[in-house]
Amino acid sequence: MSFQSTRRFLQLSGVIAAGFVLAACGKKEEAPPPAAPAPAAAPAPAPKTFTVGTDAAYAPFEFQNEKGEIVGFSVDLLNAVAAKGGFQVKFVNTPWEGIFNSLQQGDRDLLISSITITDERRQTMDFSNPYFDAQQLIAVKGSSKVEKFDDLKKLKVGVQTGTTGDEVVTKLLGKTSKNVKRFESTPLALKELEAGGVDAVVADNGVVINYVANNPGGQFRTVADTAFAPEQYGIAVKKGNAELLELVNEGLAAIKADGSYDQIYAKTFGAAPAAPAAAPAPATAASK
Ligand code: ARG
């Protein structure tokens, strides 16, 4: 039984139980006193609002539109999840460098920011089930000779500080290498590539592809490499917040089962997701 239906079941059984008590009272007493409202029948509390941290410089996942509103795939996805879970979300633009700390400090209840689930991060926060598959991708100028990740060894490479892109590049070039150029945001790294300050940028494929497509003047080229491990994005909650995590996972399962995930995916990426993300959730999962 889903969390939702469990709750409904419990509420219902409370009402039924209260009904039995009243009926029993009615038989014994001539004039039963007016029934006190059963606690379970009390009106549902107003939906809770959770504060969501996101580094909104990561189109098409999370970014600001012309009006300064935070929009994108992640926003649509979490809004849909929240609707299923009966809670509300308020997105707050949160720089990547402080984002995990904001969760730890309790300033944010949830993080959705194209965060790759890693064992290291799992030590300090809990993740939802994965909602998106990703992989690192190299961006270079069209004229570049780079053909594979290994070719970056002697080059200047731009990354966003503290991302999985930073991790893989640091590993290849060496911890103390001055050729790893770290930027506050991925678009800043890509601008530097366009300006010629770095020879390549390594970042999440979805963001690199989006940037290259929208900046034809930059004359970029992308280079994929199977050396990059598959990554998966998860929604983060504070370590131990099992209740919120369950709400999120239930919502994710529900939007995958009813097709809204695919709709949101198609709205952002223009096509249904490729397997396995496209695979419909097993029929047993959520139908109720
Ligand atoms: N997926 C990468 C990671 O987890 C990069 C995420 C960066 N997200 C962002 N909104 N800037 O490290």
Side-chain angles (χ1 to χ4, degrees), residues 7-246:
R7 204 168 58 187
R8 240 173 269 134
F9 173 74
L10 288 175
Q11 280 173 353
L12 267 181
S13 35
V15 172
I16 292 165
F20 276 128
V21 173
L22 287 178
C25 287
K27 268 178 200 156
K28 274 185 203 148
E29 294 172 24
E30 296 301 306
K48 245 191 124 137
T49 301
F50 294 107
T51 304
V52 184
T54 188
D55 173 26
Y58 218 61
F61 295 96
E62 49 269 350
F63 59 103
Q64 287 180 286
N65 65 13
E66 324 74 48
K67 289 188 223 149
E69 299 157 337
I70 300 174
V71 295
F73 177 80
S74 314
V75 174
D76 292 345
L77 178 102
L78 193 54
N79 277 328
V81 166
K84 295 285 183 195
F87 60 94
Q88 291 187 333
V89 282
K90 182 179 179 279
F91 292 88
V92 181
N93 200 358
T94 308
W96 179 256
E97 278 177 82
I99 206 165
F100 298 134
N101 201 36
S102 74
L103 186 68
Q104 200 114 32
Q105 297 300 313
D107 296 334
R108 307 284 183 271
D109 302 304
L110 289 163
L111 302 178
I112 186 162
S113 199
S114 312
I115 303 169
T116 300
I117 303 169
T118 68
D119 286 340
E120 196 192 338
R121 288 172 182 166
R122 270 188 210 279
Q123 318 259 307
T124 52
M125 67 199 88
D126 287 335
F127 283 103
S128 70
N129 293 327
Y131 66 85
F132 197 87
D133 293 326
Q135 194 159 34
Q136 295 306 304
L137 184 65
I138 303 164
V140 291
K141 294 288 255 178
S143 53
S144 167
K145 300 226 151 51
V146 169
E147 276 165 8
K148 55 185 187 305
F149 184 43
D150 216 52
D151 295 342
L152 301 185
K153 255 182 184 154
K154 295 265 134 50
L155 302 180
K156 277 191 200 143
V157 187
V159 296
Q160 184 179 9
T161 311
T163 57
T164 44
D166 185 353
E167 251 168 64
V168 293
V169 170
T170 301
K171 206 168 157 199
L172 182 77
L173 273 65
K175 258 208 173 88
T176 54
S177 170
K178 290 208 169 63
N179 278 341
V180 186
K181 304 289 180 195
R182 298 188 174 86
F183 296 84
E184 221 172 275
S185 78
T186 297
L188 279 178
L190 288 158
K191 280 202 185 91
E192 191 64 10
L193 175 62
E194 185 165 0
V198 295
D199 305 304
V201 166
V202 178
D204 292 4
N205 52 349
V207 173
V208 170
I209 290 167
N210 183 269
Y211 190 91
V212 168
N214 288 305
N215 292 276
Q219 310 220 313
F220 299 113
R221 183 164 66 79
T222 62
V223 181
D225 193 318
T226 50
F228 296 125
E231 300 184 24
Q232 292 185 305
Y233 296 163
I235 299 163
V237 301
K238 192 171 185 175
K239 201 156 184 56
N241 193 352
E243 199 181 326
L244 183 52
L245 195 61
E246 179 166 3

